[in-house]
Amino acid sequence: MLQTEYKFGEVHDLSAQIETGADKVNFKSIFENSHGGVSLVAFKSGQSLSEHVAPAEVMVYVVDGEIEFTMLGTPHTMRAGAFLLMGANVPHSVIAKTDSKVMLTKIKA
């Protein structure tokens, strides 16, 4: 069963769905089910997520701003409009170079 607070057929501004937080990285689920989902992550400049893994294949799409996304030890500078794909259980980390918003699409195999 799909879990979401949004109604099908409604149009929304993706960037406006989440705000950056001064004290922590903010997360917001757009929708999810047992196979994955779509989430937004908002960073203030300088905020980061330390190295971790995700139990799903992931598409990382930068909605606003600029981040440094490090995967398997290789840093990638990503700006609004850029995306990358990442396999499940791959070590990665993120540092926001500017205030940034990122959309994560997660698919579990």
Side-chain angles (χ1 to χ4, degrees), residues 17-18 20 40 44 60-61 67 72 78 85 100-101 109:
Q17 300 309 301
I18 190 169
T20 57
L40 295 175
K44 289 292 274 179
V60 178
Y61 173 75
I67 64 169
L72 296 171
M78 299 176 64
L85 301 176
S100 302
K101 295 177 183 177

Side-chain angles (χ1 to χ4, degrees), residues 15 19-22 24-26 41-49 62-69 76-81 94-102:
S15 183
E19 294 298 324
T20 57
K24 65 181 175 82
V25 176
N26 285 341
V41 186
F43 301 86
K44 289 292 274 179
S45 181
Q47 288 180 329
S48 64
L49 294 175
V62 180
V63 176
D64 289 322
E66 180 180 334
I67 64 169
E68 182 175 284
F69 190 93
H76 304 277
T77 298
M78 299 176 64
R79 294 175 184 87
V94 182
I95 299 172
K97 298 299 187 179
T98 66
D99 289 359
S100 302
K101 295 177 183 177
V102 176

